[in-house]
Amino acid sequence: MDNRINLTGIVLSVMPVGDYDRRVTILTKEKGKIAAFARGARRPGNSLLAVSQPCVFGNFTLFPGRDSFTISEVKVEEYFSEIREDLDSVYYAMYFCEVADFYTKEGNDEREMMKLLYASLKALVKGQMSKRLIRSVFEIRTSVLNGEGPMLNECVLCHEKIQEDKRLFSVANGGAVCDRCKAKLPASDLRSLNPSSWYALWFIGNTPITKLFSFTVSKEVEDELSALSADYLFSRVKHKFKGDKLLEIIGG
Ligand SMILES: [Zn+2]
């Protein structure tokens, strides 16, 4: 009897296994993050060769096994092949996949994270927004999806409603700090942000994901967001991503 199942997902990572196989991590709409084997995927001419690559998005037909799945066939909707043609885009995409992998689990509802990853990869391909800004949006929204988004309208320390023109941003404490509380924190943890950066942070946290990659900001605001978003994400998870090191090398 055919017990195959169909899942919609994006390949996050690929590892060689044995002589000819690959182990593939897929972020799926239906089952969260799963592991699947692509048997024979490293043999030339094998039908799974092209589809078991990072960023491939489509419908995966799988045989369920005891601890993982085996890929039977894949109907690809998007290869994101443009990303593989540009090394900078490859680094960004790898980083996005690594972060998504870190944050997701099997059996969880990860649809929002999947949508965010998909939209971020789409934005890389479109090239309308700078890669740096795409990264900031991805990082901030990832924190928001995980319930760790920055607090913007009240003070993170006293929880009073904040006076907008006097607020400062504390990465370590996760958001706005009021004029009275700022003395309690080291100056090195307090950033003064452009009003447009505050608005951008709000927008990134509250706009539907499909409309997230459609705004522009000044160079100054992009610099501020860029300096803030990676620190913000890392200070929440206390984890250094490999992809971040690669992006440092290319100045992303
Ligand atoms: Zn306060």
Side-chain angles (χ1 to χ4, degrees):
M1 210 177 85
D2 194 345
N3 61 347
R4 293 184 299 176
I5 58 165
N6 287 305
L7 303 177
T8 301
I10 304 183
V11 175
L12 296 180
S13 67
V14 175
M15 246 175 41
V17 175
D19 290 336
Y20 299 108
D21 304 341
R22 279 178 179 159
R23 184 180 181 277
V24 181
T25 306
I26 310 169
L27 185 58
T28 71
K29 196 165 114 187
E30 299 85 353
K31 288 188 177 290
K33 185 172 72 178
I34 61 156
F37 285 95
R39 304 247 180 251
R42 282 152 65 224
R43 281 184 202 274
N46 187 283
S47 64
L48 296 181
L49 184 79
V51 297
S52 55
Q53 285 194 67
C55 304
V56 166
F57 169 74
N59 192 269
F60 295 79
T61 305
L62 306 154
F63 290 107
R66 213 163 34 160
D67 325 296
S68 70
F69 296 88
T70 300
I71 300 176
S72 164
E73 57 180 308
V74 185
K75 284 198 190 80
V76 176
E77 284 183 35
E78 197 96 58
Y79 280 98
F80 287 113
S81 45
E82 299 93 335
I83 289 176
R84 280 172 220 107
E85 287 159 14
D86 171 54
L87 193 56
D88 284 4
S89 295
V90 169
Y91 286 156
Y92 278 92
M94 276 167 57
Y95 171 67
F96 295 161
C97 287
E98 184 189 357
V99 172
D101 192 343
F102 178 85
Y103 271 100
T104 52
K105 287 191 184 72
E106 181 157 2
N108 265 16
D109 180 354
E110 307 288 8
R111 279 176 293 183
E112 288 296 295
M113 195 63 219
M114 188 180 139
K115 260 196 244 172
L116 178 62
L117 177 61
Y118 180 84
S120 305
L121 296 174
K122 262 294 204 224
L124 278 181
V125 170
K126 268 195 188 162
Q128 280 170 346
M129 202 184 239
S130 78
K131 296 186 181 76
R132 234 161 47 118
L133 186 56
I134 295 169
R135 175 184 179 174
S136 291
V137 173
F138 175 80
E139 288 171 332
I140 298 289
R141 188 59 176 249
T142 295
S143 304
V144 172
L145 287 181
N146 288 282
E148 298 171 325
M151 202 178 267
L152 303 172
N153 300 315
E154 60 179 72
C155 171
V156 290
L157 297 182
C158 69
H159 295 279
E160 296 276 327
K161 190 164 168 20
I162 208 127
Q163 210 183 325
E164 290 191 4
D165 55 340
K166 294 210 169 130
R167 62 186 163 174
L168 294 167
F169 193 97
S170 162
V171 165
N173 291 280
V177 177
C178 77
D179 205 36
R180 273 168 294 134
C181 293
K182 69 181 184 193
K184 296 176 194 161
L185 296 176
S188 59
D189 183 40
L190 292 168
R191 304 176 194 214
S192 152
L193 300 179
N194 187 300
S196 300
S197 296
W198 286 103
Y199 178 74
L201 289 172
W202 178 86
F203 181 89
I204 294 166
N206 291 281
T207 303
I209 288 170
T210 47
K211 299 198 175 107
L212 205 47
F213 295 92
S214 59
F215 67 97
T216 52
V217 291
S218 66
K219 167 88 170 52
E220 185 198 350
V221 169
E222 189 181 310
D223 287 347
E224 278 184 6
L225 291 173
S226 181
L228 185 145
S229 61
D231 288 353
Y232 189 85
L233 186 71
F234 301 149
S235 79
R236 306 275 87 64
V237 295
K238 313 272 187 271
H239 175 86
K240 195 78 180 151
F241 294 100
K242 276 182 288 177
D244 175 58
K245 284 213 183 76
L246 288 171
L247 287 170
E248 252 170 47
I249 297 167
I250 62 162

